[in-house]
Amino acid sequence: MLVLAASLWPSLACAADPAFDADLAAGVFTSALSFMAPRTLDPLAPGDLAIWGLHGIAALDPNFATTVKNGELTLSQSGKILLHVQPAPATDAVGWGRIAANINDAAFTASPTLKRAGQQALVQSFFDEIFNHLDSYSRYVPPTPAEAARDRLAIDASAGINLMRRPKAGNGDGVMISDIVPGGPAEAADLRVGDRLIAIDGQSIAGHKLATIRDDLTGEEGQTLTLRVRGLNGKLREVVVTLAPVPPETVFASRMGRALLVRVSAFTANTAERLSQALEAGLLARPSAVIVDLRGNRGGLVRQAVTSVALFAETGVVASTAGRAPEATHDWRIEGGDLTRGLPVILLVDGNTASAAEIMAASLADLGRGVVVGSATLGKGLVQTLTRLPDGGELFLTWSRVLAPRHWPLQTLGVIPQICTSIGEDDIATQLDALADGDFTLPKATLAARATRAPLPAAKALDIRAACPAAEGTDADLMVARYLATHPDAYAQALIP
């Protein structure tokens, strides 16, 4: 039962005041509580979540307090009780959604501060308070930015080419196509690397900045552009390109001595395919090893990381996700085809290596297919699920933990390298000397990390990480990788058995 204090009625009667849509708020809160309660990592009832969320009122106007005492929920303003509410059963998401809406409505009506902030600020503060008790990755995205993000995904399309400015040739054409995204619109239209761009839709690009030209080559999916280009043979031709979403380039291959060096900057929709192509091309030169540089890689699509692992390993579990909801628990297995045919694989990581990139490094190390070199990684091992709410906003909720093949958690702990480069040159030299003498033993922190199990206390994770603190990558990583690539016995010693 809900009882309004009499002193609140004059405020309710003021027609000039902005209105609070309690029905919409109840729908948003009910949908969120119903979605969250069965999916949070730790068991939490809708009532627990709602009571946390109601503290968001005081976060916007400190004159308010929401308390639970003697089985009654009370809203007070400056010590004066405004509202008594009989709590709903703890598991009743609908009841608690309505209660949260009514209490927010009462506070909004009584507070000029909250009216100035607006209803959306109250909804945002409700979720902020809930997520303050959960984790830093769960979040509520309000309707306007959520819609803008969806629109960007829908219309972000391009021709799929990279441009560079070359010294002007005799024909005056100074902008050249330097790269074409495989499988993208430009390749489909038979544009070629080395073609010089002359005009877009009949408009000359002479004198335009590269940034302006690049903008002119983007637009809505399905839009067509007519490009006039001059080929390497000097002949002009017109090419019609149909714009389409094109993932950014994320794989960059080069040689480092006898080794193939492949930098993977993120895991987007075509990363595994591009990595496969880079490996197939690079392996033609018979490299001594493959060095995969994941430093600074903040992650991306988990499935792309799993598929990338399958390029280096034959079979096994790459990673597992574990949550309370049945659909949150999953084993990511591979039945691969090791393109490298057992070549040594060295993975470079640093403190900015995160999420899907950590999955790749952890799995190849655990499967005995790679040696990780660098520092402790970021430690982002949580997976979020998404729902859209009645107001058009979106709710991202952490619902599972990522576990490496040997069942240790990535969250907070991160990946601890087999060879650490973040504790000084002397220690690096000691490790390399031990490898050279055949006396190398895996660092205690590396083995301790593999022995942990979730949930892992933060203090224990920090203690393990302290042995190889997170740091930005340096040339020392490449130096160690080069050594391992040319000393197969040393590489074998550094593998996790």
Side-chain angles (χ1 to χ4, degrees):
M1 182 179 71
L2 181 151
V3 181
L4 275 172
S7 61
L8 191 59
W9 286 105
S11 297
L12 289 170
C14 183
D17 287 344
F20 185 93
D21 190 337
D23 288 338
L24 176 60
V28 170
F29 295 152
T30 296
S31 294
L33 296 174
S34 299
F35 179 76
M36 295 172 69
R39 294 176 174 86
T40 53
L41 286 177
D42 299 314
L44 292 167
D48 299 323
L49 298 167
I51 290 171
W52 287 340
L54 286 170
H55 294 307
I57 298 171
L60 294 175
D61 186 342
N63 292 313
F64 285 95
T66 307
T67 57
V68 180
K69 189 175 182 180
N70 298 326
E72 191 172 58
L73 187 59
T74 300
L75 173 70
S76 60
Q77 183 183 27
S78 301
K80 185 176 183 178
I81 295 176
L82 295 182
L83 195 64
H84 293 293
V85 179
Q86 185 67 38
T91 57
D92 182 2
V94 176
W96 277 104
R98 173 53 64 180
I99 288 171
N102 288 339
I103 291 177
N104 274 276
D105 189 6
F108 182 90
T109 301
S111 169
T113 298
L114 296 182
K115 288 174 185 173
R116 285 193 297 271
Q119 177 165 342
Q120 187 59 60
L122 272 168
V123 173
Q124 181 72 63
S125 192
F126 178 85
F127 288 117
D128 287 347
E129 287 298 314
I130 291 176
F131 294 138
N132 282 343
H133 290 78
L134 298 181
D135 63 273
S136 59
Y137 300 106
S138 296
R139 64 194 185 279
Y140 164 75
V141 181
T144 299
E147 183 178 359
R150 290 191 292 268
D151 288 345
R152 282 196 300 273
L153 287 174
I155 66 172
D156 187 13
S158 75
I161 59 177
N162 290 323
L163 303 172
M164 64 188 304
R165 196 175 293 280
R166 288 293 194 190
K168 290 186 178 181
N171 55 24
D173 309 331
V175 175
M176 186 187 79
I177 296 175
S178 60
D179 188 38
I180 292 177
V181 176
E187 185 179 73
D190 200 30
L191 283 167
R192 302 157 198 164
V193 171
D195 284 344
R196 292 180 179 265
L197 185 60
I198 308 299
I200 303 172
D201 283 342
Q203 299 297 313
S204 171
I205 64 165
H208 292 190
K209 295 181 178 179
L210 278 181
T212 301
I213 299 170
R214 292 188 183 107
D215 287 344
D216 290 340
L217 291 170
T218 62
E220 295 187 7
E221 184 175 0
Q223 177 184 344
T224 60
L225 298 176
T226 301
L227 308 185
R228 184 180 302 158
V229 298
R230 188 183 302 278
L232 292 173
N233 59 5
K235 293 183 179 180
L236 287 170
R237 69 185 194 281
E238 289 195 343
V239 178
V240 177
V241 179
T242 302
L243 302 186
V246 177
E249 184 58 85
T250 57
V251 178
F252 308 87
S254 60
R255 297 284 299 184
M256 192 176 77
R258 294 177 52 209
L260 172 63
L261 174 63
V262 184
R263 182 168 70 87
V264 182
S265 61
F267 289 95
T268 61
N270 70 340
T271 297
E273 180 183 357
R274 295 290 290 124
L275 180 57
S276 175
Q277 293 168 349
L279 288 174
E280 288 178 349
L283 291 171
L284 294 175
R286 300 178 182 270
S288 61
V290 179
I291 302 168
V292 182
D293 189 351
L294 298 172
R295 294 175 299 176
N297 184 323
R298 306 292 286 188
L301 302 177
V302 172
R303 189 177 296 277
Q304 288 291 309
V306 172
T307 306
S308 296
V309 170
L311 301 175
F312 298 93
E314 292 292 345
T315 60
V317 174
V318 171
S320 301
T321 56
R324 289 197 304 122
E327 61 270 30
T329 299
H330 180 71
D331 285 340
W332 295 89
R333 295 181 178 273
I334 58 168
E335 295 291 337
D338 180 1
L339 293 183
T340 70
R341 296 186 179 181
L343 275 178
V345 178
I346 301 126
L347 301 118
L348 306 184
V349 301
D350 66 3
N352 292 314
T353 303
S355 191
E358 291 176 290
I359 290 175
M360 183 175 187
S363 62
L364 287 174
D366 272 13
L367 294 172
R369 276 299 291 127
V371 173
V372 179
V373 174
S375 77
T377 60
L378 183 68
K380 201 285 188 183
L382 298 176
V383 180
Q384 289 72 48
T385 185
L386 164 70
T387 190
R388 190 180 300 185
L389 299 175
D391 63 350
E394 293 178 339
L395 197 68
F396 292 81
L397 176 70
T398 294
W399 73 333
S400 62
R401 295 182 177 91
V402 178
L403 306 179
R406 300 193 183 204
H407 308 296
W408 51 277
L410 290 176
Q411 178 61 23
T412 307
L413 183 60
V415 181
I416 308 300
Q418 286 115 295
I419 299 179
C420 180
T421 62
S422 63
I423 49 179
E425 293 182 1
D426 290 345
D427 190 80
I428 295 173
T430 298
Q431 292 176 85
L432 293 184
D433 286 344
L435 285 167
D437 295 339
D439 297 329
F440 180 82
T441 57
L442 287 168
K444 291 181 179 179
T446 304
L447 298 176
R450 267 65 185 177
T452 62
R453 295 295 180 264
L456 177 65
K460 183 175 181 180
L462 293 174
D463 184 57
I464 293 173
R465 289 169 60 85
C468 187
E472 288 191 0
T474 68
D475 288 344
D477 307 325
L478 293 169
M479 182 267 290
V480 172
R482 187 181 295 111
Y483 178 84
L484 293 174
T486 54
H487 293 78
D489 290 343
Y491 169 83
Q493 287 184 75
L495 288 171
I496 295 176

